[in-house]
Amino acid sequence: MATDRSSAGDPARTLALLWGEPAVADGRRGPRKARSTGEIAAAAVALADAEGVEAVTMRRVAQALDLSPMALYTYVPGKAELLDLMLDTVYAGMPRARPEGDGWRARLAAVAADNHALYRAHPWAASLPTGRPPLGPGLMAKYEYELRALDGVGLGDVEMDAALTHLLGFVQSCARMAADERAAEQDSAMSDEQWWAGNADLLAKVFDPRRHPTAARVGAAAGEAHGGAYSPAHAYEFGLAVVLDGLAALIGRARAERPYEA
């Protein structure tokens, strides 16, 4: 659907909804409402967590709240704005892990863990396109908290934003791949290890290890180590270390170039 992405609705009505200005969101004032936007967001998030974001419709959310679909539209302009409200709500409720150390690396590892936990709790949030995320209170609080992990390490403001974006993009990518693996297991009713074992004979008929010796050697080693072609846990742990090592090099260069600011 065209609206199954962030910021697909009217920006003025979305921001009014997120920041608690219903008169602007509705375009009119009316009697005191029986439901709050928090209750609506919670019902929609629960539905997405249980059945996927595709299951979230104005009708289904209204049913969960004992409202008519038309009544729900007096609270939320449409599904596009509802998705923005859902996303900002889970951002606002995102856990805040305590860093396992005092340095920037420990702080960023905690930020990554926070987002990793958020996507485990709300897998749909990792796949919802957010090219122009609505600047709601949840997102802004999240952004402020995460940037503090990089504040004072020697990077410029633009570099801080880029470094954070790079880290969060890595975590989101891992979450999407983990969700894909879970979906494959559900569809096939087999684990990754079981699927490969069950199809080993078929693969042997078409794959010639003499033509692809490196792929055969590395693939076999990885498969044995992970019990399948891919391990979400290993990909996250390995990738996070690589990302942090890369940022360490960036911070080192920045401090060398601007020692008076470090």
Side-chain angles (χ1 to χ4, degrees):
M1 286 185 192
T3 56
D4 281 356
R5 62 178 177 83
S6 176
S7 297
D10 177 78
R13 296 202 299 178
T14 295
L15 289 174
L17 176 68
L18 295 178
W19 290 92
E21 298 181 19
V24 179
D26 295 349
R28 61 184 182 280
R29 294 185 182 275
R32 183 179 179 83
K33 291 183 165 68
R35 296 289 186 176
S36 68
T37 54
E39 290 175 309
I40 293 169
V45 168
L47 183 59
D49 290 346
E51 302 181 37
V53 74
E54 300 83 4
V56 177
T57 64
M58 297 296 280
R59 180 175 296 278
R60 290 287 303 277
V61 174
Q63 289 174 345
L65 295 166
D66 285 331
L67 295 172
S68 70
M70 291 306 297
L72 184 60
Y73 281 102
T74 67
Y75 294 85
V76 181
K79 183 176 179 182
E81 291 81 6
L82 177 61
L83 291 172
D84 291 336
L85 179 63
M86 292 165 58
L87 198 58
D88 201 68
T89 296
V90 298
Y91 285 160
M94 190 181 76
R96 301 285 193 268
R98 174 173 292 184
E100 297 181 0
D102 297 327
W104 66 264
R105 193 177 182 110
R107 294 195 300 271
L108 281 185
V111 167
D114 293 341
N115 284 270
H116 200 224
L118 181 146
Y119 292 134
R120 283 199 306 270
H122 311 289
W124 55 270
S127 59
L128 190 65
T130 55
R132 294 178 180 173
L135 302 181
L139 174 62
M140 295 308 298
K142 178 178 183 289
Y143 185 51
E144 173 70 20
Y145 161 73
E146 292 168 342
L147 282 175
R148 287 177 183 173
L150 286 161
D151 201 19
V153 303
L155 298 179
D157 289 347
V158 175
E159 291 171 321
M160 286 173 58
D161 178 79
L164 178 60
T165 299
H166 181 59
L167 175 69
L168 298 186
F170 157 74
V171 177
Q172 186 176 26
S173 177
C174 284
R176 287 175 174 170
M177 294 181 71
D180 289 343
E181 185 188 49
R182 289 193 298 271
E185 288 187 359
Q186 291 173 356
D187 292 343
S188 66
M190 291 186 290
S191 69
D192 199 35
E193 185 175 10
Q194 291 171 328
W195 188 92
W196 282 100
N199 290 279
D201 290 343
L202 292 174
L203 181 61
K205 292 179 180 179
V206 297
F207 180 72
D208 183 357
R210 294 171 299 181
R211 294 185 60 188
H212 310 285
T214 309
R217 186 188 78 244
V218 174
E224 182 178 355
H226 304 320
Y230 176 72
S231 168
H234 179 266
Y236 175 77
E237 293 170 5
F238 178 85
L240 179 60
V242 171
V243 170
L244 294 179
D245 285 347
L247 292 179
L250 175 68
I251 291 170
R253 288 197 301 271
R255 287 175 173 174
E257 294 171 358
R258 300 189 292 269
Y260 54 88
E261 294 181 5

